[in-house]
Amino acid sequence: MSKLHFTTKHANAATVQRNWYVVDGTNQTVGRVCSRIASVLRGKHKASYTPHFDAGDYVIFINADKVVFSGNKFEDKTYINFSGYPGGKKEEAAKDLIKRRPDAIIERAVKGMLPKNRLGRKMIKKLFVYAGDQHPHTAQQPKELKF
């Protein structure tokens, strides 16, 4: 074989190595930390990144209730849910949602940064978000992910 001819190695189920990472959300800005998490879930931090294959790692996000927003987003940002029926539109401010379901803020932000197809739906299942500092994934021995 010629030394000038190289083939690209694509990641597949047999070659991918998945790691577990834990991210502490204390005093982290929502958008910045979620964009980094989305990159890890896709596998873009690896040399074997393949766009058409889920080669990403698992991410555990703790202290979701202690994240911060930049600017006035804490008071001004609204999250909208629409059922599709007349009168089925519900709006909730970020300051109310973080009290009721702090994990929903992180999940929605990361999901919006992933592909909108079956591959993205598979990637979001590797994200685990918890409001407190405890998580049930100690058996996986997650490494701390610093930004």
Side-chain angles (χ1 to χ4, degrees), residues 71-78 93-94:
N72 293 328
K73 292 190 194 94
F74 192 69
E75 287 86 18
D76 297 343
K77 185 169 178 62
T78 59

Side-chain angles (χ1 to χ4, degrees), residues 27-40:
N27 295 327
Q28 296 276 348
T29 307
V30 172
R32 294 181 186 275
V33 73
C34 288
S35 65
R36 182 74 172 117
I37 289 171
S39 177
V40 171

Side-chain angles (χ1 to χ4, degrees), residues 22-106:
V22 63
V23 178
D24 189 6
T26 306
N27 295 327
Q28 296 276 348
T29 307
V30 172
R32 294 181 186 275
V33 73
C34 288
S35 65
R36 182 74 172 117
I37 289 171
S39 177
V40 171
L41 288 175
R42 284 196 79 178
K44 290 186 116 178
H45 63 292
K46 296 181 178 182
S48 63
Y49 168 68
T50 306
H52 63 271
F53 181 74
D54 181 16
D57 294 328
Y58 292 90
V59 176
I60 304 162
F61 192 88
I62 58 173
N63 292 323
D65 54 347
K66 296 184 176 115
V67 294
V68 295
F69 288 91
S70 61
N72 293 328
K73 292 190 194 94
F74 192 69
E75 287 86 18
D76 297 343
K77 185 169 178 62
T78 59
Y79 289 90
I80 300 170
N81 290 322
F82 182 55
S83 67
Y85 289 98
K89 181 178 165 186
K90 295 179 183 175
E91 294 184 2
E92 190 170 16
K95 62 181 177 180
D96 299 328
L97 186 60
I98 202 164
K99 291 177 195 168
R100 190 172 64 86
R101 282 190 61 214
D103 54 335
I105 290 177
I106 303 300

